[in-house]
Amino acid sequence: MIELKNAAVATSEVCSAARPAEHSGYYHGVTRRAIRAGKVSVSAASAATADALTKCLLADHGKTNVALLESFDARLLAYEFHP
């Protein structure tokens, strides 16, 4: 159980069966390489921030960016990466 007070949680999963048909997948914003695996959950002050941070962590292919999370006062709740 996760207790939230004035916060939000977001989860992103690359290979979700529930992904809408119009969703074209995840890509690294700089290199444009496809992100093919991973699932991450983040807690932050807003849903938009939490969601954006999930994408950043997925783009790092399993490397937890502690400084990035700290700069947004966010918490990594769960992470799975199986290449």
Side-chain angles (χ1 to χ4, degrees):
M1 176 171 39
I2 299 169
E3 184 176 331
L4 298 175
K5 184 174 183 178
N6 297 322
V9 171
T11 299
S12 291
E13 182 176 6
V14 174
C15 298
S16 173
R19 186 171 76 186
E22 65 273 8
H23 192 287
S24 61
Y26 293 96
Y27 296 87
H28 191 283
V30 175
T31 65
R32 304 306 296 159
R33 77 175 187 267
I35 300 168
R36 302 199 186 281
K39 176 170 56 173
V40 64
S41 296
V42 172
S43 172
S46 73
T49 300
D51 185 58
L53 289 169
T54 65
K55 308 315 187 270
C56 293
L57 294 173
L58 285 172
D60 277 344
H61 285 275
K63 298 175 188 166
T64 303
N65 191 326
V66 175
L68 177 66
L69 291 168
E70 287 178 351
S71 70
F72 287 94
D73 196 26
R75 289 187 305 149
L76 177 64
L77 301 175
Y79 195 97
E80 291 179 31
F81 180 74
H82 307 286

